[in-house]
Amino acid sequence: MAEQVKLTIDGREVHAEKGALLIEVARQNGIEVPAFCYHQDYTLQAACRMCLVEIEKTPKLQVGCTTPVAEGMVVRTDSDLVKKARKGTLEFLLTNHPLDCPVCDKGGECELQDMVFRYGAGESRFVERKVHTDEKQWSPVVFFDAPRCILCYRCVRVCNEGMNVGALGVGNRGVIAEIIPNKHDHLECDECGACIDICPVGALTSGAYRYQTRPWEMEHVGTICTHCGDGCKTTLGVRNDEIMRGNNRDQTGINGEFLCVKGRYAFDFTKHPERLQSPMMKTAKGFEPISWARALTMVGERFSLAKLSHKKFGVIGSNHTTNEENFFLAKFARQGLETKHIDHHRSGDLATFFDALSGKTNALATADDVDKAKGVLVVGADLAQQHPFLAFQARANFRHHHAQVFTVTTGPVREDNYAAASVRVQKGGEVAGAESLRDKLKAAGDLVILFGDAVQGDALRKLIAFGDSLGIPVKYICLVDYANSRGAFDMGLIPRDGGMSREQMLAATDLDVLWVVGANPLKNAKLASHPFMVVQDLFMTETAQQADIVLPAASAYEKNGTVTNTAGQVQKLTRAISVMGTKTDLEIFGQIAKEMGLNLGIWLPDKVFAEIRKSVHGYDISPATLAVSPAPTMPLNGRVAALPGAIQSAGDTLFTSGSLSKYSHTLNSVMEAPGKLYGGER
Amino acid sequence: MTFSPELEKRFTALLTRYPEGRTRSAVIPMLMYAQDETGAITGEVIEEVARRCKVTPLQVDEVVGYYSMLHRKPMGKFHVQVCTNISCLLVGGEELYNHASKTLGIGHKQVTADGQFSLEEVECMGACSWAPAVEINYDFHHHVTPEKLDELIRGLRKSQ
Amino acid sequence: MAKLLFNQPSPLETRIVSKNFGLESSETLDVYLANGGFKAFKKAKEMTPEAIIEEVKASSLRGRGGAGFPTGLKWSFVPRTSPKPRVLVINADESEPGTCKDRLLIEYDPHQLIEGILIAGLAVDAHVGYIYIRGEYRYLIEKMDRALEEAYAKGYLGSNVAGTGFKFDLYTHSGAGAYECGEETALLDSLEGKRGIPRMKPPFPAVAGAWGMPTLLNNVETFSAVPSIIRDGGAAFAALGTPKNGGTRLVCISGHVNKPGVYELPLGYPMMKAINEVAGGIPGGKKLKAVVPGGSSCPILKADECDIAMDYDTLAKVGSMLGSGGMVVLDETTDMVRFALRIMRFYQHESCGWCIPCREGTTWLRKILQRFYEGQGRREDISLLGELSKNMLGRTFCALGDAAAMPTISIVEKFTEDFEKYLAKQNKSELVTI
C-alpha cells in the first residue's frame, strides 16, 4: 500500500494516499471541489480554474486538480477567498456564454447551470456585446455551438485519449479559440458521440436528440446494449414509450463513460416504420395480418400435429434474445418438441474454448481484466471495430497502467498505434504469430489474451497451450459477436448429442418444421427442404419472408431478463418501452407451449432464471448479485463435446450489427455521411 | 505538393535538426516558409506539412489557427504591418496606421484590389526604441512618419 | 532591407554585453575572436561544470527575459547525469512590449551568444541547442543562421568545438507570431510543433522540457552575459551592480524621450538619470507622467515614484518589476485610458485562450476600456476594471493573466483622474446597453 498522509480539509482531518490529487481526496471525503476540465480518466488541464482552493503557507490559490496531497497540508475549500474566486471564474465564463438555456438541450442537466446555481454569479456585471459564431453541424450526429463552449477540452481528450481517434482539436486562440473537427468543416471519426456526453454544457449536441425533449420529461432506464457482445450498459431516456436517447452519463456499468455509436444512437431501430406489429400469415396473396390468438393457435396446432407424427423439427435460436428465452427455447425444443436439432449462429468457438480450459480456474477474463492486466494480447480480431468497449478498456489500461498491448492480426488495427509490438500474419498464422512474441509476453508479468473467430479448433487449443506455457498468469476472452452469443451457448442452443447444426438444418432435405427465433439464417443461404416455418423477429427479414407464420417479437429494449457478454458477465436487461403488437420471445414461447398443452414451467423471466440457477453451470447468481450486475463470470469445468457446424464472426464494424443496423436511421445516416468512415478490408 | 528546390532543401534540413522521431517540431518553421512561397496556408499546404512531419492534418490545423503570422488567405505582395503597441502608440503609431489605411484604402488584414498591398495592425515587433515601426515582408522600418511611409509605398509600387 | 537605425551609444553606459556593438563587421567570427572571443569558452572547458555554475552564481546574474530568476541556480537544477540528453533552448521570442534588446545581441554579436550557449552546454553537459526566434525577426534568423554557418565552418560548433573535443550542435527555430511563446513552457510546446500553450509545472523544464528531456532555457541576453562572466569572473560582473543585483543589463528606453534607445546600464542605475541623461530627457520640456519600468506587464510607476534605483529589489519594493528591461516613458500629455486600452488590447490578442480567467478576463476588460475610450464609460466601470483585474490576478494558468492585470490595476488606481476626465467629458454617463 502506498504511503499514507494526513491532511486537513475544511477543518476535517483526512487520510489519503500520498501524491493523490487534492480534488479526488476532497471528493472522496464528501467535500465538493467544483471543476469543469478535470476528469478522472483523462489528462490534467488545470484550465477552468474552478477548483481553486486555499492552502496554508501558499500565497496564491492553488488548483485542486493538479495539487498532490502532502503530509500536514491544511486546505480550505470553503473560505471567502475561495468562494469569491469561484464566483469570479463563473462570472468570467458567463460573459460570452449565451444564456439560451430555455432552448438549450443541456438545460436542466448542465454543469454550468448547476455551478452558477451553487456558487453564485447569478447577477452579471457584463454589459458588453458577446462574441458570437453560428452553430455548425459536423456530422449527422454531432453539432457544435461554439459560443456555449467553455473550453474544458474534455471532448478533445475523450476523442484522443479515450477513443484514440483524435478527431477534435483546438483552433484559433484567445477568446475566439474553439474546438475544431479533423476535416476542416466536418468530422471523420467513429461518430461515437463520446464528445457529446462528456460535454458539461450544451456546446456539443446530438443530431439524434437535439430539440426533441427536455431532460426532465424522460425516464432513464439503464439496460444492456443489444448491438454487440461487449455488454455495455446504456441508459435509455424514455418519453411516452419512445426512446429519445441513449447515453451513459452516470458512468455506471462495466463500461463507465464509454459507449460506441451503436450503444448511443442505434436504439432507433425500435421505431423503424417497417417494424412488425402484427402476426402475419402467408397466403396465396402474400402475407396477411392475423390476430395473435389465431397465430398462436395455428402454430400450436401445427407443432402438436408434427410432434404427434414424429416429424423432424429444426430450431434455430437467437444470439440476442435473453438467457431466459434461450433457456426456455432449448427446453421447449428438447422436452416439448423432442428434437435435438437446435442451434444458433455461433461466432466464436466456445465449445473448444471451454473444453481446452477444462479443469482450470481463473482462466476467464472479464472486461475489467482488460483494463487491469499488465499485458493484453489481441489475436485475430479488429478489436476497435468489432469490440469497441474492450478496445477502449485496452487503451485505458495502456494510459493509466502502462499496460503492454500486443496485436497479432492479418491487417493493421487501431491498437497498433500504441501497441508494444504488432505482428502481421497470413490467415491461419495467428497462433504462430503469438508464439513469436513469447519473450515479450512473458516479460509482461500477467496477460489477458483476446482472440476472434480466426482462432478455433486446434488453433484454439494450441493458443491456450501456448498461454499456459508462458509460466505467468494468463486469462482468456473468446470473442463472440452478438449481445447474447455467449448466453445462447451457455443456455444450450447448440446441437448436442448428434443434433444438426444450423447449416445442416438448412441443407437437410427432410426438415418438416423450422422454427427460427431472432435469426436470419436465410440471408445468404437457401433451404433445401420446404418445412412449415415459424419465424419470430422484429422485421420482415429474408428468413421471415419465407415463413408460413411470422410473429412480431419485442427487442432487447422491450424486455426484462439477462444477457451474458463475450467475457461471460451476466447482466440484467430492463424494459424501457413496449411496442404495440409485439410480444417478448419468452411470452411467445409460453403461449405456444400453452396452446400445445405442454408444461414447461412459468414463463416469467425471474422464474426462468431461478431454474437457470439450478441447472446451468456457472449461473447460480442470486437476484441480489444480479441487481448490481455484472455478475462475475464463473469458472467452467467439465468437458464440452465438439460441435458440428461453422463458427464465423459476423464481420460487423463499428457501424453495423447484424440486421438491426439496417433498421437504424442514425447508423445509416452516419454511414452515408460525407467522408470516409472506417470501412475497407481489415 | 512540391516546392522550389531551395525550399525543399530547407525542409530536408529542418526535418533532421530535431531529435529522432521529433519531426513534429518542424511544423511551425515549415508552415512559415511554405507560406512565403505559396502565399497562404491552404488545406493542401496543411495536408502536405502534416505528411512531411508525420502528424495529422488536424494537428497542423490547430497550429495554423494559433499563430498570428500564419494566414489562410493570401496577403498582398507587400504585407504592411504597422505596430501600434505602447511604445509606438506614444509616438504616433496609431496615427501612422490610420494613415496607412487611408493611403492604401484598406483596413486591418485587408488586401488592395490589385493584390499588391495588404495591411495589418500588429502587436509589438521589438522596435520600441526606434518607434514607430513598420515591417514590410520581414523588412523593418524605423522612426516611420506618414510621409516616410508614403514614400516607402510609392517605392514599392514602382518596384513592380 | 532597410538598415537598422541603431541609436548612438551613450557615454554613461557600462558596456559589457554590448561592448562589440558598433564595431565594423561585429557580427563576424573573426571580429569576435579579435576582440577576445572564445577565451571564456576555452577557460570554461578547463573548469568543472560545478565551477562554471559557481561562477555564474557569483555574478548574481538573473534571467534577463523578465522573470529575473537567478541564472546560476537555474543551471544547477539541470540533472547533468540524467540518462536523457540535455537540451539548451535560447529564448529569442522577444515580444514584451517595450523590449527590443535581444534583437541587437543577435544582430551585432551573434558569436557572443554562441559562446555563452556553449559555456552553458559545458555546465549542464548538453550538446544541442535551439535558438527560438520570433517569426517577425525573420531577418535575424537569417543573420543567426549565417553566424552559425560561420561557426560551424571555422570549427566553433560541431563535433570539435574550438579544438577542445567538445561536441555541440546549434540551430535556429522560427516562431510564427505569439507573445505567449515567450513563456518558457509555451515556447517548448511551440518548439515541439504545437500550439503555444504553457505547460503544467512540475515537472519543470530543467527536469522534463523539450521532448521530455532535461532542458535549460534562458533569454538571449542571459546567455550573452555569460562569456564576460567566465572571462572576467563572476565577482567582477556582480561588482558592476549593487549587492544581490549584479552586473549590467540592456535597458530599452522608449516613448517620450529625446534619445530613445537601448543602453547598457549597471543594475541599480538611477531611473531619473536614465531618463533625463542617458535618454536625453522628455521632449518639449514636458513633465514626466509615468514610467513602465520593465515592459508592458509591469505595474506602472507614477512620476513621483520614479526617483529610484533600477534593480530587482528596489522595483519590488515599489510594487513593480524590472521585467525584461523595456522602459517606456510617458509625458504629462499621455491619456492613460487610451494607454490602458492599448495594453489590454495586446493581452487580449495574445491570450492563448487556455484558461477561463485570462481568456474571458482580458476580453471583458478590453471591452470596458474600449467603451470608456469611446465615451460610453460609467462611473462603476472604474472600480469594475480594478475588481475584474483582481479576479484574474494569481488565478490564471500562467503569468499572462497577471501581466494583463497588474498594469491595469496600477493605472486605474494611480490615474483615476484620467478616467474621471472621460466621465466629465460625456454629456451623460448613461450607457447604451446592447
Side-chain angles (χ1 to χ4, degrees):
Chain A
M1 201 166 101
E3 196 187 328
Q4 296 284 302
V5 294
K6 197 166 74 183
L7 64 154
T8 312
I9 307 180
D10 296 344
R12 268 170 57 190
E13 195 179 287
V14 159
H15 295 260
E17 227 170 66
K18 186 182 177 183
L21 294 174
L22 183 52
I23 192 168
E24 281 293 331
V25 173
R27 286 176 178 186
Q28 281 152 19
N29 286 279
I31 297 165
E32 197 201 356
V33 176
F36 290 111
C37 69
Y38 175 75
H39 190 287
Q40 68 278 5
D41 287 345
Y42 302 112
T43 48
L44 302 177
Q45 312 288 292
C48 76
R49 320 306 286 178
M50 268 308 284
C51 65
L52 288 166
V53 295
E54 215 178 328
I55 300 174
E56 227 169 61
K57 293 182 192 133
T58 312
K60 290 201 289 190
L61 295 178
Q62 298 294 308
V63 279
C65 68
T66 62
T67 306
V69 293
E71 180 65 37
M73 201 178 237
V74 180
V75 183
R76 293 230 70 101
T77 75
D78 59 354
S79 67
D80 287 344
L81 198 60
V82 171
K83 285 180 188 161
K84 194 167 171 275
R86 286 175 187 164
K87 200 172 161 178
T89 301
L90 286 170
E91 190 184 23
F92 280 140
L93 204 45
L94 289 176
T95 56
N96 283 309
H97 188 89
L99 297 177
D100 61 349
C101 309
V103 293
C104 176
D105 271 339
K106 211 62 167 222
E109 51 182 11
C110 167
E111 292 179 38
L112 179 57
Q113 277 186 337
D114 292 348
M115 294 252 198
V116 174
F117 184 80
R118 253 174 278 173
Y119 303 109
E123 279 175 42
S124 179
R125 294 177 287 180
F126 185 80
V127 295
E128 325 300 330
R129 192 186 278 272
K130 286 175 190 267
V131 177
H132 179 78
T133 49
D134 290 337
E135 191 184 42
K136 303 168 189 81
Q137 180 174 8
W138 285 343
S139 84
V141 293
V142 184
F143 284 71
F144 178 61
D145 189 8
R148 286 182 190 158
C149 175
I150 61 170
L151 288 171
C152 66
Y153 317 108
R154 284 194 209 167
C155 55
V156 176
R157 286 173 285 158
V158 78
C159 189
N160 201 11
E161 300 168 24
M163 301 307 299
N164 196 218
V165 170
L168 295 173
V170 187
N172 295 335
R173 77 173 182 216
V175 77
I176 56 163
E178 63 178 40
I179 304 301
I180 53 170
N182 58 351
K183 294 292 160 182
H184 184 58
D185 59 353
H186 70 277
L187 277 168
E188 283 180 21
C189 67
D190 286 1
E191 305 285 357
C192 69
C195 52
I196 298 170
D197 272 358
I198 209 165
C199 180
V201 294
L204 285 159
T205 50
S206 147
Y209 169 76
R210 63 208 308 264
Y211 303 136
Q212 301 280 318
T213 182
R214 306 303 291 168
W216 54 84
E217 293 172 337
M218 294 184 287
E219 276 182 81
H220 304 279
V221 182
T223 189
I224 305 303
C225 174
T226 189
H227 288 282
C228 85
D230 287 356
C232 292
K233 176 180 165 255
T234 176
T235 304
L236 301 174
V238 179
R239 188 187 66 178
N240 298 337
D241 232 8
E242 187 184 352
I243 304 173
M244 308 303 295
R245 71 175 182 192
N247 68 28
N248 206 32
R249 289 185 69 203
D250 66 2
Q251 302 184 9
T252 61
I254 59 172
N255 45 312
E257 78 266 26
F258 176 82
L259 270 185
C260 75
V261 61
K262 292 186 264 192
R264 197 169 267 114
Y265 299 116
F267 55 79
D268 57 351
F269 69 86
T270 54
K271 57 182 170 192
H272 192 279
E274 287 172 29
R275 184 77 192 268
L276 293 171
Q277 288 186 280
S278 165
M280 307 287 270
M281 183 177 69
K282 191 184 261 168
T283 67
K285 288 182 283 181
F287 281 106
E288 278 182 11
I290 55 170
S291 72
W292 267 108
R294 188 161 169 228
L296 292 167
T297 307
M298 281 179 62
V299 173
E301 277 174 3
R302 289 294 295 262
F303 279 11
S304 296
L305 208 62
K307 186 183 164 191
L308 271 175
S309 43
H310 303 288
K311 299 281 189 187
K312 202 166 195 173
F313 279 93
V315 177
I316 296 175
S318 173
N319 41 32
H320 53 257
T321 51
T322 66
N323 287 325
E324 292 75 3
E325 289 167 337
N326 294 345
F327 180 84
F328 202 89
L329 179 62
K331 186 170 159 186
F332 199 140
R334 291 202 169 86
Q335 292 175 23
L337 303 177
E338 294 171 4
T339 178
K340 55 190 177 185
H341 308 307
I342 176 163
D343 199 2
H344 69 284
H345 173 188
R346 282 170 278 145
S347 55
D349 191 358
L350 289 166
T352 309
F353 180 56
F354 293 136
D355 193 45
L357 290 182
S358 171
K360 294 189 191 7
T361 52
N362 275 328
L364 296 174
T366 63
D368 194 43
D369 290 323
V370 182
D371 178 34
K372 296 282 158 22
K374 291 183 185 130
V376 176
L377 169 64
V378 183
V379 185
D382 188 344
L383 214 57
Q385 286 287 314
Q386 296 166 335
H387 294 275
F389 169 53
L390 294 176
F392 179 84
Q393 291 288 87
R395 284 191 295 271
N397 194 357
F398 169 75
R399 280 199 321 279
H400 296 143
H401 316 121
H402 311 288
Q404 291 196 291
V405 177
F406 305 90
T407 60
V408 178
T409 53
T410 52
V413 290
R414 191 180 299 169
E415 286 65 43
D416 295 342
N417 292 345
Y418 62 97
S422 295
V423 180
R424 286 292 101 80
V425 294
Q426 295 291 316
K427 204 168 183 307
E430 285 85 0
V431 177
E435 282 168 348
S436 74
L437 292 168
R438 173 179 291 276
D439 293 343
K440 285 179 180 150
L441 297 172
K442 212 171 160 154
D446 63 66
L447 192 65
V448 169
I449 301 180
L450 305 103
F451 59 90
D453 71 324
V455 182
Q456 46 180 289
D458 287 345
L460 199 161
R461 287 181 200 279
K462 264 193 184 162
L463 180 66
I464 295 200
F466 166 70
D468 289 353
S469 74
L470 290 172
I472 55 169
V474 180
K475 292 182 180 182
Y476 303 88
I477 293 181
C478 174
L479 298 168
V480 289
D481 285 344
Y482 298 99
N484 203 22
S485 287
R486 177 65 190 273
F489 182 91
D490 290 348
M491 295 306 130
L493 289 181
I494 43 175
R496 284 198 300 249
D497 315 319
M500 287 192 287
S501 74
R502 195 172 67 116
E503 294 72 22
Q504 287 167 333
M505 285 185 241
L506 301 185
T509 50
D510 58 347
L511 203 63
D512 297 303
V513 178
L514 179 61
W515 188 8
V516 179
V517 177
N520 191 13
L522 301 183
K523 189 181 180 189
N524 300 310
K526 277 205 164 89
L527 259 182
S529 52
H530 299 283
F532 171 71
M533 199 167 145
V534 177
V535 172
Q536 295 175 206
D537 212 316
L538 279 68
F539 296 101
M540 202 44 113
T541 61
E542 288 84 348
T543 308
Q545 275 163 20
Q546 298 187 38
D548 295 287
I549 304 276
V550 181
L551 301 172
S555 76
Y557 297 149
E558 297 145 20
K559 54 176 79 156
N560 294 315
T562 63
V563 287
T564 310
N565 76 357
T566 187
Q569 295 168 287
V570 183
Q571 302 185 92
K572 266 183 96 142
L573 288 183
T574 306
R575 184 173 65 217
I577 54 167
S578 322
V579 172
M580 207 201 316
T582 66
K583 288 186 194 299
T584 66
D585 293 288
L586 187 58
E587 176 73 16
I588 299 171
F589 301 151
Q591 296 284 0
I592 296 173
K594 193 174 141 197
E595 289 291 336
M596 292 177 70
L598 297 171
N599 183 8
L600 297 171
I602 302 171
W603 57 86
L604 290 172
D606 290 354
K607 303 288 180 198
V608 179
F609 194 79
E611 225 183 309
I612 293 173
R613 283 183 71 183
K614 279 183 243 158
S615 49
V616 181
H617 189 80
Y619 278 76
D620 187 11
I621 306 157
S622 72
T625 308
L626 209 50
V628 288
S629 57
T633 179
M634 303 280 176
L636 273 159
N637 290 304
R639 305 190 69 85
V640 181
L643 297 173
I647 289 150
Q648 198 178 16
S649 152
D652 279 332
T653 68
L654 270 175
F655 307 103
T656 58
S657 65
S659 47
L660 279 187
S661 53
K662 198 171 125 190
Y663 298 98
S664 164
H665 169 75
T666 308
L667 284 184
N668 284 307
S669 68
V670 159
M671 282 190 285
E672 287 157 11
K676 186 180 59 180
L677 296 171
Y678 298 94
E681 288 299 304
R682 287 281 173 185
Chain B
M1 199 174 180
T2 51
F3 300 101
S4 67
E6 300 78 53
L7 200 56
E8 288 291 349
K9 210 176 125 197
R10 189 183 280 283
F11 285 175
T12 309
L14 261 178
L15 287 169
T16 53
R17 66 171 56 162
Y18 306 100
E20 210 190 323
R22 306 295 186 168
T23 47
R24 184 174 182 175
S25 283
V27 166
I28 293 162
M30 208 181 264
L31 285 168
M32 286 286 282
Y33 290 107
Q35 175 174 271
D36 292 344
E37 199 164 291
T38 60
I41 306 292
T42 58
E44 199 189 3
V45 172
I46 290 177
E47 298 273 340
E48 184 63 20
V49 169
R51 191 181 63 78
R52 289 174 188 241
C53 298
K54 299 189 176 70
V55 294
T56 65
L58 176 64
Q59 288 168 327
V60 178
D61 206 359
E62 288 186 295
V63 163
V64 174
Y66 181 88
Y67 293 93
S68 59
M69 291 181 75
L70 300 173
H71 305 290
R72 292 182 198 267
K73 289 199 181 117
M75 289 290 128
K77 185 176 169 194
F78 301 105
H79 186 48
V80 181
Q81 298 178 295
V82 183
C83 175
T84 61
N85 208 309
I86 52 172
S87 297
C88 289
L89 178 84
L90 293 175
V91 291
E94 213 163 85
E95 291 76 8
L96 187 67
Y97 170 79
N98 291 335
H99 179 81
S101 177
K102 221 173 112 190
T103 306
L104 295 170
I106 48 174
H108 180 59
K109 286 196 182 174
Q110 290 179 343
V111 187
T112 53
D114 61 2
Q116 291 302 305
F117 289 92
S118 50
L119 179 65
E120 188 178 1
E121 182 182 6
V122 294
E123 297 300 347
C124 183
M125 306 187 296
C128 317
S129 292
W130 316 288
V134 171
E135 197 179 344
I136 304 174
N137 295 2
Y138 301 122
D139 286 349
F140 276 88
H141 304 273
H142 299 116
H143 299 299
V144 184
T145 57
E147 297 72 36
K148 205 170 148 189
L149 185 65
D150 287 347
E151 205 179 300
L152 269 170
I153 290 172
R154 268 198 304 275
L156 292 171
R157 277 218 173 97
K158 259 190 237 158
S159 75
Q160 300 161 44
Chain C
M1 67 156 285
K3 177 99 181 79
L4 176 69
L5 295 178
F6 175 48
N7 55 277
Q8 287 304 305
S10 161
L12 298 167
E13 285 182 78
T14 306
R15 295 178 57 186
I16 306 296
V17 295
S18 64
K19 74 178 167 57
N20 294 339
F21 288 15
L23 294 182
E24 187 66 33
S25 302
S26 66
E27 76 281 9
T28 61
L29 184 56
D30 288 344
V31 171
Y32 185 62
L33 290 170
N35 286 280
F38 279 91
K39 277 187 186 155
F41 174 76
K42 284 173 186 157
K43 184 176 170 189
K45 187 71 185 65
E46 302 306 313
M47 295 162 72
T48 63
E50 292 80 4
I52 298 173
I53 293 175
E54 277 315 306
E55 208 60 59
V56 175
K57 279 184 181 168
S59 74
S60 77
L61 176 65
R62 290 163 67 156
R64 299 295 194 233
F69 193 82
T71 305
L73 194 59
K74 194 172 193 178
W75 290 20
S76 70
F77 292 155
V78 180
R80 247 196 331 265
T81 53
S82 161
K84 288 184 187 169
R86 272 78 47 215
V87 180
L88 298 189
V89 177
I90 297 85
N91 188 344
D93 191 56
E94 179 165 70
S95 347
E96 175 80 9
T99 317
C100 50
K101 62 191 175 60
D102 296 337
R103 244 180 102 175
L104 303 181
L105 290 165
I106 292 177
E107 182 159 3
Y108 293 115
D109 211 349
H111 294 284
Q112 175 178 246
L113 174 61
I114 294 172
E115 190 182 5
I117 294 164
L118 287 167
I119 293 168
L122 290 172
V124 300
D125 193 27
H127 300 276
V128 67
Y130 298 87
I131 310 174
Y132 184 104
I133 304 179
R134 65 181 300 193
E136 292 87 344
Y137 284 177
R138 170 66 67 81
Y139 84 99
L140 277 186
I141 299 176
E142 286 162 10
K143 279 178 189 287
M144 194 69 223
D145 279 340
R146 279 200 290 280
L148 294 177
E149 255 172 58
E150 196 187 354
Y152 269 106
K154 295 181 176 162
Y156 286 86
L157 277 173
S159 54
N160 183 16
V161 175
T164 62
F166 182 66
K167 180 186 179 310
F168 200 91
D169 286 310
L170 187 57
Y171 307 97
T172 56
H173 179 101
S174 172
Y179 167 75
E180 181 63 7
C181 292
E183 197 279 343
E184 60 178 14
T185 58
L187 185 151
L188 291 175
D189 262 23
S190 183
L191 178 63
E192 291 182 10
K194 303 170 191 166
R195 297 161 62 80
I197 306 291
R199 297 178 179 177
M200 243 172 297
K201 291 179 268 193
F204 288 91
V207 177
W211 311 289
M213 300 168 185
T215 301
L216 175 64
L217 253 144
N218 274 131
N219 175 257
V220 168
E221 190 185 345
T222 315
F223 280 114
S224 294
V226 169
S228 62
I229 289 170
I230 296 299
R231 194 177 52 236
D232 305 329
F237 186 79
L240 297 169
T242 53
K244 285 195 201 165
N245 290 275
T248 57
R249 68 176 300 171
L250 295 177
V251 180
C252 320
I253 308 181
S254 66
H256 297 139
V257 287
N258 282 312
K259 291 193 280 177
V262 177
Y263 303 100
E264 186 168 4
L265 301 173
L267 282 231
Y269 199 85
M271 186 178 279
M272 290 313 295
K273 193 173 172 191
I275 295 168
N276 290 327
E277 296 178 32
V278 178
I282 297 171
K286 295 202 180 84
K287 280 194 205 129
L288 179 68
K289 181 164 188 170
V291 172
V292 177
S296 63
S297 58
C298 303
I300 202 160
L301 299 176
K302 279 180 90 161
D304 60 11
E305 294 173 300
C306 293
D307 199 7
I308 51 169
M310 290 195 289
D311 62 55
Y312 293 101
D313 300 330
T314 310
L315 264 295
K317 245 179 260 166
V318 295
S320 191
M321 303 180 301
L322 213 44
S324 56
M327 184 169 149
V328 188
V329 179
L330 285 63
D331 74 18
E332 58 186 328
T333 65
T334 313
D335 172 359
M336 296 311 286
V337 174
R338 189 185 185 204
F339 196 74
L341 168 62
R342 191 61 192 84
I343 289 181
M344 196 50 72
R345 270 182 62 197
F346 170 69
Y347 287 108
Q348 192 224 348
H349 184 260
E350 299 300 336
S351 168
C352 75
W354 181 254
C355 73
I356 293 167
C358 175
R359 179 179 77 229
E360 304 294 344
T362 53
T363 305
W364 191 357
L365 286 163
R366 199 267 295 157
K367 285 178 176 175
I368 297 172
L369 285 163
Q370 184 81 44
R371 183 163 49 72
F372 218 102
Y373 180 63
E374 286 165 4
Q376 292 273 308
R378 307 170 302 170
R379 180 156 302 281
E380 59 264 43
D381 288 331
I382 302 174
S383 55
L384 188 57
L385 287 168
E387 283 168 36
L388 296 178
S389 299
K390 283 172 190 162
N391 279 353
M392 267 200 308
L393 195 65
R395 296 183 192 165
T396 51
F397 187 95
C398 77
L400 196 142
D402 294 348
M406 288 185 299
T408 311
I409 294 169
S410 64
I411 292 172
V412 173
E413 283 175 0
K414 294 177 185 179
F415 299 96
T416 318
E417 71 272 20
D418 282 44
F419 289 82
E420 298 278 357
K421 271 185 220 154
Y422 267 83
L423 291 179
K425 269 194 299 192
Q426 287 167 217
N427 296 333
K428 281 194 266 176
S429 65
E430 254 177 55
L431 171 78
V432 183
T433 48
I434 311 158

